[in-house]
Amino acid sequence: MASKPVLWGRGSSTNVQKVIWTAHELGIEAERRLVGGPFGGNRTADFLALNPNGTVPVWQDDAFVLWESHAIMRHLARQEGHMYGDTPEAIAKTDQWLDWYALVFWPPVRLLFLDIFQTDQVPDEGNGGTAALAAAHRNLSLIDGTPTDFFTLENARPNLAEVSLAIGINRMLGLGFGIALPQRIAEWHDTVRKRPGFLLATEDEPDMPGHRS
């Protein structure tokens, strides 16, 4: 009997959350091994042999090892034939949004999160906080104003790009700035966050003001 693949990482990492959700949607079971953050272990020789960056997530399937969350998500989706796109054009659009998420959407959210979660203070303008918050607002407007095949509330399962964006938006809302989502995005996010895969992926989400009732 073949062994399960191993997902190395911690559930508080948005990058790990994206892979957990993707695997769940595709029905792929993996053994979870906690590493990074409070668990440590990501600077050991054994882990660095898997990923010389010392970051999570890492996907290990027997001798096959893969790091970088979007690369892992694409790999899993290609195996199962779902969540990526049915045509070359659809796949290219998914890649476009995944790259945009990594290069444009996530950096300002990450900056704000690190300052708030680690210091419990909103970063001031001198640390780039004002610019980061403005960028987060602009990026939401861009998503809402750009025609896509996503966010339709009609798909049987979310697209890979939707997985990343939903996880990123969830972290952004947790910052507690009272950022208002455009109506279309808010309706979509309210729907996808009820999916079992999202709930599983975010069960170890850090405790932040915007997620407290």
Side-chain angles (χ1 to χ4, degrees), residues 175-198:
L175 299 176
F177 286 121
I179 296 174
L181 299 180
Q183 182 177 350
R184 180 174 68 115
I185 305 304
E187 291 175 354
W188 161 79
H189 198 255
D190 284 344
T191 297
V192 295
R193 68 194 299 268
K194 294 181 176 70
R195 296 186 70 86
F198 177 92

Side-chain angles (χ1 to χ4, degrees), residues 1 4 10 42 51 86 119 130 138 155 184:
M1 181 177 178
K4 289 183 181 179
R10 53 187 170 82
N42 57 313
N51 180 2
D86 299 326
T119 69
T130 301
R138 286 196 304 272
N155 299 328
R184 180 174 68 115

Side-chain angles (χ1 to χ4, degrees), residues 4-60:
K4 289 183 181 179
V6 175
L7 173 58
W8 298 83
R10 53 187 170 82
S12 58
S13 161
T14 55
N15 287 326
V16 174
Q17 290 175 9
K18 292 183 289 184
V19 175
I20 293 173
W21 186 3
T22 300
H24 185 275
E25 291 283 352
L26 295 170
I28 300 173
E29 295 186 8
E31 176 187 345
R32 294 273 304 281
R33 295 189 185 174
L34 298 175
V35 67
F39 302 101
N42 57 313
R43 305 308 302 179
T44 65
D46 287 344
F47 187 80
L48 291 173
L50 298 175
N51 180 2
N53 301 289
T55 55
V56 294
V58 172
W59 185 267
Q60 184 178 16

